[in-house]
Amino acid sequence: MEGKSDMNTMEVEVAASAPLPSKPKFGALRAHEMSDGLVQFRKVAVPPHRFTPLKKAWLEIYNPIYEQMKIDVRMNLKNRRVELKTRADTPDVSNLQKCADFVHAFMLGFDVTDAVALLRVDELFVESFEIKDVKTLKGDHKSRAIGRLSGKGGKTKFAIENATRTRIVVADSKIHILGSFTNNKVARSSLCSLILGSPAGKVYSKLRAVTARLAERF
């Protein structure tokens, strides 16, 4: 009986010491492989007032999209649209959407140097809202609200941008904010206070307190 138990333990030990097969390593799928070889498209409309700036900044937009993100891009003059499509060597399927967001941000009025951050940082996005979403204003009241948002020579807008590390575009009654979720939330809160009639000094002091808390947290 003892001999049999010794044999069993030996068999278990031999079986346990046998090497396990190595884990398979699968490479990341390319964009055309994920879509079964089909080409994926995105189209971004060009507003009339952004057509001339697009012509001037075309090379600055074209180079990062084509060379870094490996996405084909062209301007369709007939339909007034920027068209993007994946290539066989596009490394990641998300690159197409990043490039579409980058071009869209430029159409909203952001500088190329600011909008290009959307290609390099995953946490950034553009948030848009209108003055009427916060408060219904008409005529001179609306004009004064837009004036409060920008401040003298853009002073108020620059102060909010620098404090919250965002970029803000005030296009008539529409406001666009480019930044991370937390920073966008702080910037939007400050802009809403200005729309509702708070003086710039009060908004600055509140903004300083909030940014100090954020700095302590991170």
Side-chain angles (χ1 to χ4, degrees), residues 50-80:
R50 295 300 288 170
F51 194 71
T52 303
L54 179 64
K55 282 169 71 176
K56 290 179 180 176
W58 178 251
L59 279 178
E60 295 174 57
I61 294 169
Y62 178 86
N63 287 332
I65 291 175
Y66 185 80
E67 293 172 8
Q68 295 172 24
M69 307 301 282
K70 308 292 183 189
I71 296 288
D72 281 338
V73 57
R74 73 172 185 179
M75 177 65 201
N76 189 328
L77 292 170
K78 186 179 178 182
N79 296 330
R80 292 276 179 121

Side-chain angles (χ1 to χ4, degrees), residues 81-175:
R81 288 177 179 173
V82 176
E83 297 178 349
L84 307 150
K85 72 169 186 174
T86 55
R87 289 159 31 187
D89 61 339
T90 303
D92 191 354
V93 72
S94 66
N95 285 8
L96 182 63
Q97 188 57 48
K98 284 181 183 177
C99 292
D101 292 340
F102 164 51
V103 176
H104 180 62
F106 179 79
M107 299 308 166
L108 292 176
F110 292 100
D111 292 335
V112 178
T113 49
D114 296 329
V116 79
L118 287 164
L119 300 179
R120 295 173 184 147
V121 184
D122 290 335
E123 290 79 22
L124 298 184
F125 71 103
V126 176
E127 182 181 356
S128 302
F129 66 99
E130 292 189 49
I131 288 176
K132 68 180 181 183
D133 297 336
V134 182
K135 189 178 183 182
T136 306
L137 296 171
K138 293 178 182 178
D140 290 342
H141 297 292
K142 185 177 174 182
S143 302
R144 282 194 289 272
I146 294 168
R148 281 197 302 275
L149 292 175
S150 297
K152 188 178 179 181
K155 180 184 171 185
T156 306
K157 183 170 81 78
F158 292 141
I160 295 171
E161 284 180 341
N162 293 334
T164 58
R165 283 186 271 181
T166 57
R167 287 293 174 266
I168 299 165
V169 169
V170 180
D172 192 28
S173 63
K174 292 183 180 178
I175 301 152

Side-chain angles (χ1 to χ4, degrees), residues 16-33:
S17 62
L20 294 170
S22 59
K23 288 183 178 179
K25 292 182 181 178
F26 299 109
L29 289 175
R30 292 186 178 276
H32 73 288
E33 292 172 337

